[in-house]
C-alpha cells in the first residue's frame, strides 16, 4: 500500500467516526456513492447474504437495532452453523467498513478472502478479524485473540475495543496483499499476505497444519460474518473496491 493510499484510508476511518452520529445508519452519502462505495446491508433486509455453503440465509440471523444480528444458540459459545457471507460477489482489493457490538462474554469474527469448501467451516481458509468482548469472553487470554486482531496471528495494538454493548468501528483494507485494520479510528494491525512475514505468522498459529489455510489465502473471495453462538450485531456494512 503506497503512502498516499494509506493516509487516505486513515482519513476515511477518522471521518467515518466523525460522521456516524449525523448520518442515518445503513446508508451512503452522495459523496460515498460518487467515490464508488457499495452498501452491503440496508437495514431492511439481508439481500445478497446467505449461509456459507448454502443457498439460503441462516435462520438464526435477524434484523434488530438497525443491524444484522446473529442470535445466541441454546448453548452460549456453540454456534448453529450460521456463518454467513455476502454471496453476490467476490472481492480482491477493497476497503471494508462496518460497525459491530457484542453481548457480554461474546465472540464473533469478520472474514475476507473466503473460499467455500463443502462441509468445511467459513474460517477454514480465510483470515479472521476478531470480534470479542475483551473483558468477559473466555477466549481473551491471548493478545492475538482480542478484538481487532488478525485472529491467532497478530494482536491488535493498541487494544482499543469498547466494552460489550457498545458500538465499534472497524475498517479493513486489502491492497495487493497489504492489509490494515483500523479500529475505532486507530491503526491496530498491519501485515502483508503472500509474504515472508505472513509465512512466519502462519508457522506460529493454530492454522499451520490446516491444509486449506497453508495452501494460501485466495487472491479474491467473499466477505463473511461468524456465528460463534453469541448475540452479535453488525451495521453500516459498506465496501469500496480498489
Amino acid at each position: 500500500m503506497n503512502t498516499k493510499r494509506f493516509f487516505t484510508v486513515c482519513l476515511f476511518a477518522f471521518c467515518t467516526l466523525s460522521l456516524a452520529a449525523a448520518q442515518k445508519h445503513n446508508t451512503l452519502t452522495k459523496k460515498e456513492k460518487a467515490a464508488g462505495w457499495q452498501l452491503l446491508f440496508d437495514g431492511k433486509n439481508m439481500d445478497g447474504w446467505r449461509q456459507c455453503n448454502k443457498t439460503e440465509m441462516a435462520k438464526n440471523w435477524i434484523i434488530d437495532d438497525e443491524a444484522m444480528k446473529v442470535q445466541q444458540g441454546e448453548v452460549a459459545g456453540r454456534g448453529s452453523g450460521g456463518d454467513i457471507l455476502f454471496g453476490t460477489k467476490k472481492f480482491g482489493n477493497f476497503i471494508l467498513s462496518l460497525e459491530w457490538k457484542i453481548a457480554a462474554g461474546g465472540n464473533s469474527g469478520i472474514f475476507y478472502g473466503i473460499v467455500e469448501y463443502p462441509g468445511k467451516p467459513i474460517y477454514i481458509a480465510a483470515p479472521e478479524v476478531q470480534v470479542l468482548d475483551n473483558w468477559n469472553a473466555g477466549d481473551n487470554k491471548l493478545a492475538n485473540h482480542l478484538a481487532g486482531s488478525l485472529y491467532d496471528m497478530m494482536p491488535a495494538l493498541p487494544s482499543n475495543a469498547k466494552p460489550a454493548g457498545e458500538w465499534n468501528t472497524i475498517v479493513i483494507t486489502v491492497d495487493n496483499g497489504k492489509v490494515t485494520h483500523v479500529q475505532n479510528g486507530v491503526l491496530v494491525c498491519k501485515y502483508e499476505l503472500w509474504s515472508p512475514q505472513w509465512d512466519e505468522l502462519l508457522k506460529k498459529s493454530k492454522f499451520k497444519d490446516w491444509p486449506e489455510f497453508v495452501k494460501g489465502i485466495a487472491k479474491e473471495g467473499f466477505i463473511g460474518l461468524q456465528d460463534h453462538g453469541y448475540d452479535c450485531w453488525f451495521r453500516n456494512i459498506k465496501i469500496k473496491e480498489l
Side-chain angles (χ1 to χ4, degrees), residues 25-75:
H25 297 307
N26 308 307
T27 61
L28 295 176
T29 64
K30 290 182 180 180
K31 188 174 181 180
E32 286 174 328
K33 291 177 181 178
W37 285 89
Q38 176 186 356
L39 197 64
L40 302 189
F41 171 63
D42 66 1
K44 300 174 182 178
N45 61 66
M46 300 185 192
D47 289 355
W49 292 86
R50 61 177 173 81
Q51 189 170 354
C52 184
N53 285 312
K54 304 286 184 180
T55 58
E56 303 295 329
M57 183 62 183
K59 297 185 183 302
N60 60 325
W61 288 77
I62 63 171
I63 297 177
D64 176 69
D65 193 20
E66 299 183 277
M68 296 174 61
K69 177 188 177 184
V70 58
Q71 301 178 92
Q72 179 175 305
E74 293 183 4
V75 179

XYZ file of all heavy atoms in Angstrom, residues 25-75:
414
model
N -28.112 5.392 9.736
C -27.447 4.098 9.641
C -27.807 3.384 8.341
O -28.905 3.523 7.809
C -27.826 3.225 10.828
C -27.377 3.784 12.146
N -26.073 4.157 12.378
C -28.050 4.050 13.302
C -25.956 4.619 13.609
N -27.143 4.572 14.190
N -26.842 2.591 7.866
C -27.041 1.722 6.706
C -27.414 2.507 5.448
O -28.258 2.079 4.649
C -28.105 0.660 7.020
C -27.807 -0.075 8.307
O -26.720 -0.610 8.497
N -28.771 -0.086 9.223
N -26.777 3.653 5.271
C -26.969 4.472 4.075
C -25.613 4.943 3.575
O -24.611 4.880 4.296
C -27.844 5.707 4.371
O -27.197 6.518 5.365
C -29.234 5.303 4.866
N -25.604 5.419 2.348
C -24.410 6.020 1.774
C -24.692 7.488 1.475
O -25.782 7.836 1.022
C -24.011 5.309 0.475
C -23.570 3.851 0.574
C -23.307 3.296 -0.830
C -22.330 3.700 1.436
N -23.723 8.330 1.721
C -23.842 9.725 1.351
C -23.635 9.863 -0.162
O -23.133 8.938 -0.828
C -22.802 10.580 2.080
O -21.483 10.182 1.652
C -22.914 10.400 3.593
N -23.990 11.012 -0.697
C -23.766 11.263 -2.129
C -22.275 11.177 -2.452
O -21.881 10.675 -3.502
C -24.317 12.641 -2.502
C -25.828 12.734 -2.482
C -26.290 14.127 -2.922
C -27.813 14.221 -2.914
N -28.278 15.579 -3.338
N -21.474 11.665 -1.516
C -20.022 11.631 -1.723
C -19.507 10.196 -1.760
O -18.657 9.842 -2.584
C -19.325 12.410 -0.604
C -17.839 12.608 -0.805
C -17.247 13.511 0.265
C -15.757 13.730 0.040
N -15.165 14.622 1.076
N -20.027 9.345 -0.870
C -19.607 7.939 -0.859
C -20.035 7.233 -2.140
O -19.274 6.449 -2.717
C -20.194 7.232 0.365
C -19.508 7.616 1.673
C -20.214 7.017 2.888
O -21.458 6.856 2.854
O -19.514 6.714 3.870
N -21.254 7.492 -2.587
C -21.739 6.878 -3.826
C -20.865 7.287 -5.001
O -20.500 6.452 -5.835
C -23.191 7.279 -4.079
C -24.183 6.674 -3.107
C -25.599 7.181 -3.381
C -26.595 6.608 -2.391
N -27.973 7.134 -2.613
N -20.529 8.570 -5.056
C -19.686 9.061 -6.143
C -18.292 8.455 -6.108
O -17.647 8.281 -7.152
C -19.592 10.582 -6.074
N -17.838 8.114 -4.891
C -16.495 7.539 -4.728
C -16.475 6.039 -4.984
O -15.403 5.425 -4.970
C -15.977 7.830 -3.324
N -17.642 5.431 -5.202
C -17.679 4.013 -5.548
C -17.992 3.065 -4.414
O -17.810 1.853 -4.550
N -18.493 3.590 -3.287
C -18.852 2.713 -2.175
C -20.124 1.935 -2.478
O -21.035 2.436 -3.136
C -19.035 3.534 -0.898
C -17.735 3.974 -0.317
C -17.058 5.119 -0.604
C -16.938 3.261 0.627
N -15.878 5.170 0.107
C -15.787 4.048 0.878
C -17.094 2.048 1.294
C -14.786 3.645 1.757
C -16.101 1.644 2.177
C -14.958 2.445 2.396
N -20.167 0.705 -1.994
C -21.328 -0.164 -2.153
C -21.838 -0.566 -0.779
O -21.063 -0.991 0.078
C -20.944 -1.426 -2.945
C -22.067 -2.441 -3.083
C -21.612 -3.732 -3.746
O -20.459 -3.861 -4.192
N -22.493 -4.711 -3.812
N -23.120 -0.430 -0.552
C -23.727 -0.813 0.719
C -24.062 -2.301 0.680
O -24.690 -2.792 -0.259
C -25.005 0.007 0.941
C -25.585 0.078 2.353
C -24.607 0.772 3.298
C -26.913 0.831 2.320
N -23.631 -3.050 1.701
C -23.880 -4.493 1.746
C -25.062 -4.869 2.633
O -25.453 -6.030 2.679
C -22.620 -5.234 2.231
C -21.343 -5.025 1.412
C -20.255 -5.987 1.887
C -21.595 -5.192 -0.083
N -25.623 -3.890 3.337
C -26.788 -4.117 4.196
C -27.531 -2.809 4.338
O -26.951 -1.796 4.734
C -26.342 -4.644 5.563
C -27.440 -4.722 6.591
C -28.531 -5.560 6.410
C -27.379 -3.955 7.745
C -29.549 -5.626 7.346
C -28.379 -4.019 8.699
C -29.471 -4.849 8.500
N -28.843 -2.817 4.016
C -29.608 -1.570 4.022
C -30.449 -1.371 5.273
O -31.202 -0.401 5.373
C -30.494 -1.477 2.782
C -31.603 -2.531 2.749
O -31.709 -3.331 3.709
O -32.361 -2.557 1.757
N -30.341 -2.284 6.238
C -31.099 -2.161 7.470
C -32.515 -2.694 7.387
O -33.216 -2.750 8.401
N -32.945 -3.107 6.196
C -34.320 -3.567 5.989
C -34.418 -5.052 5.660
O -35.389 -5.725 6.007
C -34.971 -2.754 4.873
C -35.023 -1.259 5.160
C -35.552 -0.486 3.971
C -35.552 1.007 4.242
N -36.016 1.795 3.065
N -33.429 -5.558 4.944
C -33.422 -6.976 4.584
C -31.988 -7.458 4.438
O -31.057 -6.658 4.541
C -34.209 -7.223 3.290
C -33.611 -6.470 2.114
O -32.501 -6.736 1.677
N -34.364 -5.490 1.600
N -31.830 -8.743 4.221
C -30.490 -9.324 4.129
C -30.199 -9.813 2.711
O -29.513 -10.815 2.509
C -30.339 -10.454 5.149
C -30.540 -9.998 6.579
S -30.215 -11.310 7.772
C -30.870 -10.570 9.271
N -30.727 -9.091 1.731
C -30.497 -9.441 0.335
C -28.998 -9.544 0.055
O -28.215 -8.673 0.449
C -31.118 -8.389 -0.587
C -32.635 -8.430 -0.590
O -33.206 -9.338 0.054
O -33.246 -7.544 -1.229
N -28.621 -10.584 -0.662
C -27.225 -10.792 -1.026
C -26.462 -11.666 -0.052
O -25.392 -12.179 -0.384
N -27.009 -11.846 1.160
C -26.342 -12.651 2.167
C -26.911 -14.070 2.186
O -28.098 -14.279 1.925
C -26.513 -12.021 3.549
C -25.782 -10.723 3.691
C -26.249 -9.484 3.333
C -24.461 -10.523 4.185
N -25.296 -8.524 3.584
C -24.186 -9.135 4.116
C -23.480 -11.381 4.689
C -22.976 -8.592 4.534
C -22.278 -10.835 5.113
C -22.030 -9.463 5.028
N -26.069 -15.034 2.503
C -26.509 -16.425 2.621
C -25.575 -17.176 3.556
O -24.462 -16.727 3.866
C -26.546 -17.104 1.250
C -25.191 -17.161 0.536
C -25.290 -17.915 -0.769
N -24.064 -17.848 -1.544
C -22.984 -18.613 -1.354
N -22.982 -19.509 -0.360
N -21.905 -18.490 -2.108
N -26.037 -18.312 4.008
C -25.224 -19.169 4.865
C -24.076 -19.746 4.055
O -24.237 -20.084 2.874
C -26.097 -20.290 5.432
C -25.438 -21.130 6.511
C -26.436 -22.057 7.182
O -27.626 -21.990 6.920
N -25.948 -22.916 8.043
N -22.916 -19.852 4.667
C -21.754 -20.432 3.985
C -22.083 -21.851 3.522
O -22.621 -22.666 4.280
C -20.562 -20.446 4.936
S -19.019 -21.028 4.203
N -21.773 -22.152 2.274
C -22.033 -23.456 1.658
C -23.521 -23.773 1.498
O -23.894 -24.919 1.297
C -21.348 -24.593 2.428
C -19.857 -24.646 2.182
O -19.408 -24.589 1.033
N -19.081 -24.723 3.256
N -24.354 -22.730 1.565
C -25.795 -22.898 1.367
C -26.281 -21.844 0.376
O -25.562 -20.921 0.016
C -26.551 -22.743 2.692
C -26.097 -23.686 3.807
C -26.564 -25.109 3.570
C -26.187 -25.998 4.761
N -26.634 -27.394 4.562
N -27.543 -21.991 -0.032
C -28.123 -21.013 -0.939
C -29.058 -20.040 -0.227
O -29.403 -18.998 -0.770
C -28.903 -21.706 -2.067
O -29.924 -22.538 -1.498
C -27.978 -22.570 -2.920
N -29.470 -20.387 0.999
C -30.389 -19.548 1.755
C -29.679 -18.883 2.924
O -28.605 -19.301 3.349
C -31.556 -20.395 2.289
C -32.338 -21.137 1.212
C -33.062 -20.195 0.271
O -33.457 -19.098 0.734
O -33.239 -20.546 -0.906
N -30.324 -17.855 3.471
C -29.792 -17.165 4.640
C -29.968 -18.041 5.877
O -30.979 -18.742 6.015
C -30.520 -15.830 4.837
C -29.993 -14.997 5.990
S -28.266 -14.508 5.800
C -27.978 -13.636 7.335
N -28.991 -18.009 6.777
C -29.088 -18.769 8.028
C -30.256 -18.251 8.855
O -30.485 -17.049 8.954
C -27.783 -18.644 8.815
N -30.982 -19.159 9.477
C -32.214 -18.810 10.176
C -31.976 -18.109 11.512
O -32.909 -17.525 12.076
C -33.070 -20.065 10.381
C -33.528 -20.709 9.074
C -34.461 -21.865 9.325
C -34.859 -22.553 8.025
N -35.515 -21.621 7.077
N -30.777 -18.196 12.052
C -30.538 -17.586 13.365
C -30.030 -16.148 13.267
O -29.509 -15.598 14.225
C -29.571 -18.431 14.190
C -28.215 -18.597 13.535
O -28.106 -18.686 12.310
N -27.169 -18.673 14.337
N -30.205 -15.518 12.103
C -29.902 -14.108 11.933
C -31.202 -13.333 11.763
O -32.087 -13.739 11.012
C -29.011 -13.874 10.709
C -27.600 -14.330 10.888
C -27.136 -15.610 10.840
C -26.461 -13.500 11.131
N -25.784 -15.647 11.032
C -25.337 -14.353 11.214
C -26.279 -12.125 11.272
C -24.050 -13.877 11.453
C -24.994 -11.644 11.498
C -23.894 -12.512 11.588
N -31.300 -12.183 12.458
C -32.466 -11.322 12.357
C -32.009 -9.884 12.185
O -30.816 -9.579 12.309
C -33.370 -11.438 13.610
C -32.609 -10.956 14.868
C -33.877 -12.871 13.795
C -33.490 -10.839 16.097
N -32.959 -8.995 11.901
C -32.665 -7.569 11.880
C -33.143 -6.977 13.193
O -34.308 -7.106 13.562
C -33.349 -6.880 10.689
C -32.782 -7.445 9.380
C -33.140 -5.364 10.750
C -33.440 -6.896 8.132
N -32.226 -6.374 13.939
C -32.515 -5.846 15.265
C -31.650 -4.618 15.502
O -30.451 -4.627 15.195
C -32.213 -6.921 16.322
C -32.387 -6.421 17.743
O -33.535 -6.166 18.144
O -31.370 -6.267 18.446
N -32.240 -3.562 16.056
C -31.484 -2.338 16.357
C -30.783 -1.810 15.112
O -29.619 -1.404 15.153
C -30.480 -2.598 17.485
C -29.886 -1.317 18.067
O -30.500 -0.246 17.878
O -28.815 -1.381 18.700
N -31.485 -1.848 13.972
C -30.960 -1.395 12.683
C -29.690 -2.153 12.280
O -28.821 -1.616 11.590
C -30.662 0.108 12.714
C -31.873 0.984 12.982
C -31.548 2.455 12.931
O -31.058 2.987 13.963
O -31.762 3.069 11.867
N -29.587 -3.378 12.708
C -28.381 -4.171 12.459
C -28.731 -5.605 12.114
O -29.827 -6.100 12.407
C -27.484 -4.144 13.701
N -27.775 -6.293 11.495
C -27.859 -7.738 11.316
C -27.395 -8.372 12.622
O -26.278 -8.110 13.073
C -26.951 -8.188 10.166
C -27.344 -7.638 8.824
S -26.147 -8.040 7.514
C -26.189 -9.815 7.518
N -28.249 -9.166 13.216
C -27.915 -9.765 14.499
C -27.902 -11.286 14.393
O -28.877 -11.903 13.957
C -28.926 -9.360 15.575
C -28.664 -10.008 16.936
C -29.803 -9.737 17.905
C -29.575 -10.436 19.249
N -30.727 -10.249 20.179
N -26.792 -11.891 14.804
C -26.759 -13.339 14.968
C -27.158 -13.635 16.404
O -26.652 -13.004 17.340
C -25.373 -13.930 14.629
C -24.263 -13.341 15.475
C -25.397 -15.449 14.741
N -28.090 -14.561 16.583
C -28.634 -14.838 17.904
C -27.901 -15.992 18.590
O -27.507 -16.963 17.945
C -30.111 -15.194 17.788
C -30.940 -14.089 17.159
C -32.389 -14.464 17.015
O -33.200 -14.191 17.882
N -32.713 -15.120 15.910
N -27.755 -15.849 19.889
C -27.123 -16.906 20.677
C -27.914 -18.196 20.559
O -29.142 -18.184 20.580
C -27.035 -16.482 22.139
C -26.404 -17.525 23.041
C -26.227 -17.023 24.452
O -25.621 -15.987 24.667
N -26.755 -17.760 25.420
N -27.202 -19.312 20.459
C -27.854 -20.605 20.394
C -28.289 -21.084 21.765
O -28.213 -20.352 22.758
N -28.746 -22.320 21.831
C -29.190 -22.887 23.099
C -28.069 -22.929 24.120
O -28.295 -22.804 25.319
C -29.761 -24.290 22.868
C -31.055 -24.293 22.062
C -31.621 -25.690 21.918
O -31.043 -26.638 22.512
O -32.632 -25.847 21.216
N -26.849 -23.114 23.628
C -25.669 -23.126 24.492
C -24.748 -21.991 24.065
O -24.319 -21.933 22.910
C -24.921 -24.476 24.413
C -23.693 -24.447 25.307
C -25.844 -25.627 24.786
